[in-house]
Amino acid sequence: MNKHRILPVFDLYGTDFIVDVNKQVLREAERPANEISFISDMSEHQNLYLLRYDQVTKRPEAERTDQYIEVTEVPSLIELDPEGMSLKYSIPVEQLKGKTDFEVMVDQELLADRRRGILPQIDINGEAFVIDLKLQELRHAKYFFPVISLKSFDLTDDGWHYTAFYDTMLKQPLTLDPKLLEMPDHVIQVKLPNEIGLDPVFTAQKYGMDERELLRRHPIQKELKAEVIPLSETDVPRLIRQNKDELRQQHEANRQRSKPRQRPRF
């Protein structure tokens, strides 16, 4: 999205809020930290949203019912910023007419396929694998074998990706020898999305999450592709250098110990 584009402003009881399509929020112009989420702070009703708004704090209010609380209709993001929606979701402005925000944000054909039980797929090093989170495995889409267990992957520190070293010949994750001295052949590192990124529909069902809300935050991806990282760009070369240095030091220590001691002279 064009970062230099002037974002539209929505007036909410005399207070200007910037419409941020990318984050799906209204952001107060004078207090940027004050954001009102279209997803978690409003309820969606076809082509508009309902917001319980506190005119004093200028924040959503779910509990109070005094005179300062107003149930306000907020237009759809398509209506508030059609250009922004067009740019973000690569849909011509004229094709947005008659659609809801959800229909634009989430590929309806992919969603219908998933609800019919068609499992998503991911490309790993040029080959397609079917994602089956119920069985916690990835199956080769053409031959149904090999089967890759998701339990073989490590979760990254931020929790958003699975990662593993991967044998491109065996098509399996593997654990590298910590005493490695040479770069192994046919091995790369791969990084996959976590469960939400792999299959948001199943993840919502599994954890009892609101499917529409999750899909708005993490839409189904049409072409999932694992990130391929050459070993030269990982910590493996450093590990090999360290192991070689330790081995040289060990050999030197052994050589020193094996030297014949000088006999004393009488």
Side-chain angles (χ1 to χ4, degrees), residues 30-242:
E30 294 187 0
R31 295 186 302 162
N34 182 28
E35 295 182 343
I36 301 176
S37 170
F38 281 83
I39 301 174
S40 56
D41 295 327
M42 307 184 200
S43 57
E44 187 180 6
H45 293 269
Q46 293 298 320
N47 290 319
L48 58 84
Y49 298 83
L50 294 182
L51 167 67
R52 299 187 80 259
Y53 178 73
D54 187 327
Q55 297 181 59
V56 177
T57 64
K58 300 177 183 179
R59 293 287 304 149
E61 175 54 59
E63 301 298 333
R64 285 176 30 228
T65 58
D66 56 52
Q67 70 270 27
Y68 300 109
I69 307 302
E70 292 288 345
V71 178
T72 305
E73 291 187 356
V74 179
S76 67
L77 285 166
I78 290 174
E79 183 177 343
L80 290 170
D81 189 5
E83 182 184 356
M85 292 289 279
S86 173
L87 289 170
K88 180 172 177 61
Y89 297 102
S90 302
I91 299 176
V93 172
E94 57 273 16
Q95 293 183 19
L96 297 175
K97 187 176 181 181
K99 294 182 180 294
T100 66
D101 288 350
F102 185 79
E103 289 170 340
V104 171
M105 296 171 180
V106 180
D107 188 310
Q108 297 302 296
E109 185 176 345
L110 291 178
L111 180 56
D113 286 345
R114 187 64 193 89
R115 285 175 173 167
R116 286 198 299 268
I118 300 175
L119 296 176
Q121 297 186 10
I122 186 169
D123 179 294
I124 301 179
N125 196 42
E127 297 187 82
F129 286 80
V130 175
I131 302 164
D132 192 335
L133 291 186
K134 187 174 183 179
L135 297 179
Q136 284 288 291
E137 66 184 28
L138 308 173
R139 294 188 296 275
H140 198 284
K142 185 175 181 181
Y143 304 110
F144 304 103
F145 188 84
V147 174
I148 300 174
S149 172
L150 284 173
K151 296 177 182 178
S152 302
F153 290 81
D154 295 319
L155 201 60
T156 55
D157 291 339
D158 61 12
W160 285 105
H161 294 89
Y162 290 116
T163 184
F165 292 109
Y166 181 78
D167 189 313
T168 60
M169 299 295 287
L170 298 176
K171 300 176 179 55
Q172 286 291 323
L174 79 162
T175 300
L176 293 181
D177 182 354
K179 297 299 183 181
L180 195 67
L181 293 173
E182 301 292 340
M183 292 286 274
D185 294 329
H186 315 300
V187 176
I188 56 176
Q189 188 177 47
V190 293
K191 183 186 287 188
L192 285 63
N194 67 359
E195 288 183 309
I196 290 175
L198 290 173
D199 188 353
V201 172
F202 177 83
T203 301
Q205 295 171 355
K206 179 179 178 180
Y207 296 105
M209 305 166 73
D210 184 284
E211 182 184 273
R212 288 177 69 89
E213 180 175 330
L214 186 64
L215 286 172
R216 283 186 60 136
R217 296 182 188 276
H218 306 281
I220 300 173
Q221 300 299 308
K222 189 172 185 178
E223 294 181 356
L224 276 175
K225 190 171 184 178
E227 181 182 353
V228 172
I229 305 169
L231 287 189
S232 59
E233 298 177 15
T234 69
D235 282 340
V236 172
R238 180 192 59 79
L239 175 65
I240 291 174
R241 289 194 300 271
Q242 179 180 310

Side-chain angles (χ1 to χ4, degrees), residues 239-255:
L239 175 65
I240 291 174
R241 289 194 300 271
Q242 179 180 310
N243 288 340
K244 286 183 175 180
D245 287 342
E246 290 178 356
L247 188 61
R248 278 194 293 269
Q249 292 171 11
Q250 188 177 33
H251 284 168
E252 178 62 22
N254 291 339
R255 189 178 69 82

